[in-house]
Amino acid sequence: MRPRRPSWWSDAVFYEVYVRSFADSDGDGIGDLEGIRSRLDYLEQLGVDALWLTPFYRSPMADHGYDVSHPRDVDPMFGTLGDFDVLLTEAHRRGIRVTVDVVPNHTSNQHEWFKSALAAGRGSPERERYLFRDGRGPRGAEPPNNWVSVFGGPAWTRVPDGQWYLHLFAPQQPDLNWANADVRYDLERTLRFWLDRGVDGFRIDVAHGMSKPPGLPDMDPRAPEFGGGEYYDPRFDDDGVHEVHQMIRKVLDEYPDAMAVGEIWVHDEERLARYLRPDELHLAFNFRLVLTHFDADAMRTSIERSLAVPRAAGAPATWTLSNHDVWRAASRYGGGAAGVRRARAMALVELAMPGTIYLYQGEELGLPNVSLPPEAMADPRARTQGPEYSRDGERVPIPWEGTLPPYGFSRTPHTWLPMPPDWAGLTVARQLPDPESTLSLYRRALQLRKTHPAFRVGDDLEWYGAPAGCFAFRRGRGGLICALNTSASSIALPPGEVLLTSSPLVEGRLAPDSAVWLV
Ligand code: GLC
């Protein structure tokens, strides 16, 4: 298929702002919109093209905003619609685009619709907006099918009149019925509401959810938590989901330059490609790098497969090393100094790639996952599945300056998640002037990616022969060369002039756990 006309997002660097943890302006220990606005200079200096803001809508915060009770208003915890407009205007003034999350698979159980569904009772049109069913077994005391929630336990909760409702996530996140016209119309309203305010696009939460097959057949209990594996899993990736994406795309097409990226955990490549058809999503997240350990062969396979699906669909590839749901790269790669070195190497590999990049706040500081005591954990998964499932460790607030918590994140030391006492060396203020810091590496890499002609010579990767545990490729004809060393010994550099290294060369050779860019 011919590639579509390149758009602003085709090679953009997006930066995920986990709003609760970026910057707190009002001293309640929780990040907010005004906090983001006050740190736009930083984002401009870093050199990102666009932001993805996690949900800041009205929410009881059972899943920290992914349980939305009003999708067209700002939760007072995060500010006001006026604050949002100011943030948007100021970001645009700096040439930074702003995209926002939408959560179409479910609402909060405190949404007006769900409250009225409970009140209206069985068989009512109000219940039709969700997935209410009678149970199985004597007196309907068993859930309607065997589906499990991504957060553990049955995906059904029983209400006082005996019916059950479906929730693929927490019980506070009832799934919507996408066969219902109100549900479709409401998402359209939400998209237009934010597009009319000037947002540049959306990140679609659980974009492979939404549609459920008629009859809600049992799943294979061996299916992985988020679907997309080899076992039958009717919870996700139902064929009907594509109609929803077509509807979303029709709205977006009315707004020049608006885009959408989907969170799609579907591993079958042919099925994944369907989401990128010309009348569906512009981009699909690619979680392969997140799922691959620090090994050159495994990474090369991941990279090749990551390129194949979007290329076949004529869409840009996307790349991500971390987000608010997965362990931070520095910890995934073994933690400590080695973990940070490897994460820095992988940053150069990622930023060498053609396509769209999604960074997650704090990765540019080399932050590790924080191991929090269970009593400090706030993620609903920690409660239902145990502390080892908690996503809090990657959501700890950003250290901006100073030597003690809250490191300029907030005025109060009582931040919503506690900040470690040993992060003084990781703050933005400490890293900015230090040319060896991870922040300086990201800034330099982003600047080169944007300005150096070696990034503009085509998107094909040509792989070179390389020693065991290493790889090297050239991007396009005469373009950037990138080499990665995951072995235990240093290796000779490929021929070329060094542009950037993730750690210092050792006697002119590429050290273990390092990557290099050359031209
Ligand atoms: C997505 C979000 C995650 C949230 C879930 C339910 O996976 O990234 O944080 O818990 O959807 O909305």
Side-chain angles (χ1 to χ4, degrees):
M1 196 185 281
R2 277 229 333 268
R4 289 165 222 163
R5 182 177 63 86
S7 314
W8 67 264
W9 60 83
S10 313
D11 64 352
V13 176
F14 285 74
Y15 182 94
E16 178 190 356
V17 176
Y18 190 70
V19 177
R20 289 179 81 81
S21 297
F22 191 66
D24 169 24
S25 73
D26 61 3
D28 63 356
I30 299 169
D32 48 45
L33 296 177
E34 169 54 22
I36 304 169
R37 192 210 54 78
S38 72
R39 298 289 184 181
L40 283 173
D41 284 347
Y42 170 73
L43 295 168
E44 192 179 359
Q45 280 181 356
L46 179 59
V48 298
D49 301 300
L51 307 181
W52 149 29
L53 306 182
T54 56
F56 48 86
Y57 317 117
R58 278 196 186 262
S59 165
M61 307 289 167
D63 188 20
H64 298 138
Y66 282 98
D67 50 320
V68 180
S69 57
H70 199 313
R72 295 178 290 277
D73 200 4
V74 172
D75 196 278
M77 179 181 279
F78 298 130
T80 63
L81 271 174
D83 293 338
F84 178 78
D85 292 340
V86 173
L87 168 59
L88 191 64
T89 310
E90 290 207 16
H92 283 168
R93 198 162 53 73
R94 290 169 161 84
I96 300 175
R97 312 219 187 211
V98 179
T99 65
V100 301
D101 229 309
V102 283
V103 190
N105 181 68
H106 43 264
T107 68
S108 157
N109 64 345
Q110 298 306 306
H111 190 292
E112 281 312 315
W113 277 1
F114 193 74
K115 291 199 263 183
S116 54
L118 286 185
R122 54 175 65 228
S124 61
E126 286 83 352
R127 283 206 179 176
E128 272 302 300
R129 297 185 184 122
Y130 294 90
L131 292 155
F132 280 88
R133 294 287 184 278
D134 291 325
R136 295 199 280 207
R139 289 181 302 281
E142 299 287 316
N145 68 19
N146 73 346
W147 292 9
V148 290
S149 150
V150 172
F151 292 169
W156 296 92
T157 290
R158 202 169 195 193
V159 301
D161 62 27
Q163 277 207 305
W164 299 75
Y165 68 89
L166 179 72
H167 52 87
L168 293 185
F169 295 88
Q172 297 91 335
Q173 293 166 297
D175 276 50
L176 287 161
N177 171 18
W178 275 88
N180 182 278
D182 291 352
V183 169
R184 290 170 183 251
Y185 175 66
D186 197 68
L187 178 63
E188 201 175 318
R189 267 183 80 191
T190 300
L191 297 172
R192 288 183 196 285
F193 179 86
W194 295 106
L195 287 164
D196 289 339
R197 292 195 107 80
V199 304
D200 299 286
F202 300 97
R203 179 260 189 187
I204 317 253
D205 188 61
V206 197
H208 62 320
M210 300 184 268
S211 177
K212 314 291 183 312
L216 307 180
D218 277 347
M219 64 185 278
D220 186 323
R222 292 169 299 177
E225 62 174 30
F226 225 165
E230 57 192 291
Y231 303 108
Y232 179 62
D233 188 355
R235 298 173 305 167
F236 295 105
D237 194 31
D238 182 58
D239 285 342
V241 74
H242 296 287
E243 264 175 53
V244 181
H245 289 298
Q246 286 159 358
M247 180 280 268
I248 293 173
R249 181 60 179 259
K250 275 211 182 82
V251 176
L252 289 174
D253 281 347
E254 290 174 33
Y255 294 79
D257 276 348
M259 55 76 68
V261 60
E263 182 201 24
I264 305 168
W265 291 87
V266 169
H267 296 291
D268 180 285
E269 293 175 350
E270 185 272 325
R271 292 200 65 89
L272 178 59
R274 295 181 193 201
Y275 290 82
L276 292 169
R277 288 179 290 202
D279 58 348
E280 299 196 31
L281 290 163
H282 302 88
L283 299 173
F285 274 110
N286 157 30
F287 298 113
R288 284 192 191 282
L289 291 192
V290 167
L291 299 172
T292 306
H293 56 284
F294 188 73
D295 169 81
D297 287 344
M299 283 295 178
R300 175 175 167 172
T301 307
S302 249
I303 291 168
E304 287 178 309
R305 294 187 67 179
S306 304
L307 287 166
V309 171
R311 183 160 291 165
T318 69
W319 306 96
T320 187
L321 290 173
S322 45
N323 64 37
H324 66 286
D325 291 327
V326 298
W327 267 44
R328 286 189 175 278
S331 299
R332 269 200 334 267
Y333 299 145
V340 175
R341 234 181 10 253
R342 293 171 180 167
R344 290 168 60 117
M346 281 310 299
L348 288 200
V349 171
E350 178 185 39
L351 292 170
M353 291 298 157
T356 310
I357 309 284
Y358 275 89
L359 305 180
Y360 174 49
Q361 67 180 38
E363 77 171 74
E364 78 280 20
L365 305 175
L367 295 187
N369 254 57
V370 178
S371 94
L372 293 161
E375 62 278 10
M377 290 180 180
D379 182 4
R381 290 194 78 163
R383 276 193 299 281
T384 47
Q385 287 173 294
E388 64 279 18
Y389 284 87
S390 166
R391 296 166 296 177
D392 295 307
E394 58 264 22
R395 298 176 176 179
V396 168
I398 294 297
W400 291 96
E401 64 228 357
T403 53
L404 288 172
Y407 304 105
F409 163 73
S410 172
R411 292 197 294 275
T412 173
H414 305 292
T415 50
W416 77 278
L417 289 174
M419 299 179 72
D422 60 351
W423 272 12
L426 292 173
T427 63
V428 170
R430 274 282 278 278
Q431 294 200 40
L432 266 180
D434 172 3
E436 303 301 318
S437 70
T438 302
L439 178 54
S440 295
L441 179 75
Y442 268 82
R443 286 182 65 198
R444 183 83 187 115
L446 290 175
Q447 188 195 31
L448 287 169
R449 185 179 161 90
K450 187 165 286 174
T451 55
H452 200 286
F455 288 86
R456 281 193 294 276
V457 287
D459 286 354
D460 288 326
L461 300 193
E462 183 199 336
W463 296 90
Y464 294 173
C470 303
F471 69 51
F473 61 82
R474 182 194 282 278
R475 200 179 134 173
R477 201 172 276 277
L480 184 80
I481 297 164
C482 175
L484 172 72
N485 181 3
T486 64
S487 80
S489 352
S490 67
I491 54 160
L493 295 179
E497 180 199 327
V498 173
L499 269 188
L500 191 60
T501 56
S502 66
S503 37
L505 297 178
V506 179
E507 291 163 10
R509 293 164 66 85
L510 184 62
D513 299 332
S514 306
V516 60
W517 284 358
L518 308 103
V519 282

